[in-house]
Amino acid sequence: MNKLLIIFSILLSFSAQSQNWINANTFAANTLTSQDSSVIISGDIEKDVKWIWIKETKDGKDNTLILPSSGGTHFSTKLYLRMGAGKYEITILYSKNETKYASYFQATTLQLENSDPRENIDALEPTELIQSDDSEIMDLKDSIVAGLQTDLEKTQAIHDWVASNIAYDVEMYLSGVLKVEDLDALTTLQKKKSVCEGYANLAVALNRAAGIPARLVVGEGINGPGAVFKGVANHAWNEVLIDGKWMIQDTTWDAGFVDFSTKAFTFRLQQKYFNPDPSIFALNHKAMP
């Protein structure tokens, strides 16, 4: 993920320097002040535009979203202002290249204000990899939490469903090729298999769909006799906000086990890593900044 952030920074820098003419791609927001942390970004685009890159900046921090164009002459998407209340600068860029991460050119910059008073907006809204507003995610959430009353009951049901239905993708893990686009929540749900980040993205999406703040944690997981932390990120898990407290969950390690001699995964649901004692969890999990 860090490599992608570096790529994003390079491309954005290149784009700003490369824009030296008035382009035909125009964008606007449906409102300049949002009360629910969302706006509609739409505009007229040239037919050969392949990708739209939207960067939101607030207090020196950035979020980015890259979306394919529809192939037509109009673009529209719902943008979530995930960094809470305050003033945002929205930079919109476009690319005519087939490759998603090729050069981009700046179309426009918008100034918006978010007046949404809710806390933990960043842990509630959808992202490019956590599609909590997708109909498949929403329908699954409805079936999982049906009849449950408390957020604790709902998040445990979500944990158990993910750990019981998503197989560990041994082939992907052994290949060493982990493509970001294969690890999002919706792809994980559709394929019914993934590695740790896919498990964690799906669990976050389902919790957010249920109105429960949840976030992805990237860090290091160690296992086996004599294992020690090496300071290298190799694992992902979740934190979910229940009754004002961030609860730890690791659906991957609660799903089952891998026999590397046969390259086979076996389901075996447990709750060992559902709300574990943080001091015990820290013996084999270490979050990265």
Side-chain angles (χ1 to χ4, degrees), residues 1-43:
M1 294 179 66
N2 289 336
K3 290 182 179 178
L4 284 178
L5 291 175
I6 293 172
I7 293 172
F8 290 168
S9 299
I10 292 173
L11 292 181
L12 286 170
S13 175
F14 173 78
S15 301
Q17 295 173 6
S18 301
Q19 181 66 26
N20 55 11
W21 65 85
I22 298 175
N23 65 74
N25 301 288
T26 60
F27 296 87
N30 69 317
T31 180
L32 297 181
T33 301
S34 173
Q35 297 180 341
D36 64 354
S37 297
S38 69
V39 295
I40 302 296
I41 301 293
S42 61

Side-chain angles (χ1 to χ4, degrees), residues 16-238:
Q17 295 173 6
S18 301
Q19 181 66 26
N20 55 11
W21 65 85
I22 298 175
N23 65 74
N25 301 288
T26 60
F27 296 87
N30 69 317
T31 180
L32 297 181
T33 301
S34 173
Q35 297 180 341
D36 64 354
S37 297
S38 69
V39 295
I40 302 296
I41 301 293
S42 61
D44 297 321
I45 60 174
E46 298 171 274
K47 286 185 177 181
D48 53 352
V49 169
K50 305 298 183 184
W51 302 96
I52 307 295
W53 188 328
I54 303 176
K55 173 189 173 187
E56 59 180 63
T57 303
K58 177 180 177 289
D59 299 332
K61 297 180 180 179
D62 298 332
N63 283 324
T64 59
L65 177 67
I66 303 178
L67 297 170
S69 75
S70 62
T73 59
H74 185 74
F75 174 84
S76 182
T77 190
K78 190 172 188 178
L79 176 68
Y80 293 92
L81 306 174
R82 297 186 291 108
M83 293 183 281
K87 294 181 178 180
Y88 286 72
E89 180 176 89
I90 308 299
T91 304
I92 304 172
L93 306 99
Y94 67 93
S95 175
K96 297 183 179 181
N97 291 280
E98 294 289 344
T99 304
K100 183 176 183 178
Y101 299 114
S103 59
Y104 281 70
F105 299 100
Q106 185 168 323
T108 191
T109 299
L110 306 172
Q111 305 296 326
L112 305 177
E113 184 162 358
N114 185 18
S115 60
D116 190 338
R118 292 178 296 167
E119 297 181 354
N120 300 303
I121 291 298
D122 62 328
L124 281 169
E125 303 289 15
T127 70
E128 188 174 3
L129 300 179
I130 300 170
Q131 306 99 323
S132 53
D133 59 346
D134 183 88
S135 60
E136 286 189 55
I137 299 288
M138 293 295 291
D139 289 346
L140 175 59
K141 175 269 300 182
D142 288 342
S143 68
I144 292 173
V145 306
L148 302 180
Q149 301 300 314
T150 69
D151 284 349
L152 179 59
E153 292 174 321
K154 293 174 183 178
T155 195
Q156 179 156 4
I158 289 168
H159 164 278
D160 290 355
W161 191 95
V162 173
S164 298
N165 290 276
I166 305 301
Y168 193 82
D169 194 334
V170 183
E171 182 179 356
M172 180 189 292
Y173 173 79
L174 292 177
S175 74
V177 179
L178 306 180
K179 297 180 180 179
V180 174
E181 56 267 30
D182 292 333
L183 304 176
D184 67 88
L186 191 57
T187 300
T188 299
L189 174 58
Q190 292 171 344
K191 289 186 174 182
K192 292 294 191 297
K193 64 179 180 179
S194 191
V195 292
C196 58
E197 189 171 345
Y199 280 83
N201 280 332
L202 179 56
V204 169
L206 289 166
N207 276 282
R208 291 183 184 180
I212 303 172
R215 59 196 183 196
L216 178 81
V217 181
V218 175
E220 184 175 3
I222 58 175
N223 207 351
V228 296
F229 291 112
K230 298 179 180 179
V232 179
N234 64 359
H235 192 42
W237 58 93
N238 301 118

